[in-house]
Amino acid sequence: MAASKKYTLEEDHDLMDEVSLYNPFKKINSWEGLKKKLDEHPLLGRRSSKSLRDRALLIMDQRRTLVKQQEKASGIEEPERSDFDKAIDEALLIKQEAEEEQASSCSKKRRQDAADIAVLAAAEAGRAPAAPDLDVQPSSSTPDVTSTPTAKYRRTSGELVGVLKTKVEAEKAAREEERQERQRLEEARQEEAARLQRAAEEDRQLRREELNLKKRELDLREAQEKAMAKEREAMMQLLMQQLSKK
């Protein structure tokens, strides 16, 4: 049976609870991971990861708009937040933190790239990059590296391409390592889920065995009682026959 296209209030509430707990905005997590986490949910388990993401973002946008409207309204006290509102606000907070972390990381990377380009450009021009001012006065025995190109800083275009290629390969390796880490975490999660499932199955099997044992005990007791009743009945009949002969 296909899931209804329209989300219910219960689905929205459960979805935002899971978003605030799982945090799909983190690098090591994903909306696909949230989808797998919700596979056992009777309703959300039938939704796609894209549907879950779009619905969560829509709810968060609506909540953000409502809060802004309440802040602009004068003389109106903010209503008490429900558990649903708290879950949405928490999801908004972790989303904002993830965006700020990503922006900071991108900014840091841009600064590093700019510094690398400056160093490479200086090397390509045959001069040393600018060094920090250490308040050291140049002496007559110290060569002027800014005016005299040396082999240490002279690089060909091929070497420059090689440096950039090395940087790209390092970034690629870092992404691959991150992907493998996510995969390891997912495998660990699946192993834990399988372990819990096995434990639950063993518990159910143990309860079934206990019930079967109790049933056998009851059947045995019932059979014994029937046998004793028949024996008493036979003895009574024998006694009645003996009395009738007298």
Side-chain angles (χ1 to χ4, degrees), residues 66-67 69-81:
L66 178 62
V67 171
Q69 291 175 350
Q70 291 174 347
E71 290 175 350
K72 291 181 180 179
S74 58
I76 300 178
E77 295 184 359
E78 182 180 0
E80 184 178 354
R81 295 189 306 162

Side-chain angles (χ1 to χ4, degrees), residues 56-197:
L57 294 178
L58 175 62
I59 293 173
M60 293 162 68
D61 287 341
Q62 291 175 344
R63 172 64 179 169
R64 187 186 294 111
T65 301
L66 178 62
V67 171
K68 288 182 178 179
Q69 291 175 350
Q70 291 174 347
E71 290 175 350
K72 291 181 180 179
S74 58
I76 300 178
E77 295 184 359
E78 182 180 0
E80 184 178 354
R81 295 189 306 162
S82 65
D83 291 339
F84 185 34
D85 293 335
K86 292 177 182 178
I88 301 174
D89 291 343
E90 187 172 350
L92 283 169
L93 179 61
I94 61 177
K95 180 175 183 291
Q96 180 180 351
E97 290 175 349
E99 290 173 347
E100 290 175 353
E101 181 181 354
Q102 183 178 5
S104 175
S105 177
C106 291
S107 177
K108 183 177 180 181
K109 184 177 182 301
R110 285 195 297 269
R111 289 196 300 270
Q112 183 62 44
D113 289 344
D116 292 344
I117 291 173
V119 171
L120 293 173
E124 182 68 13
R127 58 183 177 83
D133 185 7
L134 301 179
D135 295 330
V136 177
Q137 298 297 329
S139 63
S140 57
S141 60
T142 304
D144 185 1
V145 295
T146 60
S147 59
T148 305
T150 64
K152 182 177 180 180
Y153 296 104
R154 189 182 299 115
R155 292 184 180 177
T156 64
S157 298
E159 290 174 333
L160 184 60
V161 171
V163 172
L164 294 176
K165 183 178 179 181
T166 301
K167 183 176 179 63
V168 170
E169 290 176 349
E171 292 175 349
K172 183 178 179 181
R175 288 195 299 270
E176 176 62 20
E177 183 178 353
E178 182 180 336
R179 185 193 66 79
Q180 292 178 357
E181 178 64 19
R182 288 199 303 269
Q183 184 177 354
R184 284 193 294 269
L185 290 173
E186 179 60 24
E187 289 175 353
R189 187 195 67 80
Q190 292 178 358
E191 289 178 0
E192 178 65 13
R195 186 189 67 80
L196 293 175
Q197 185 175 1

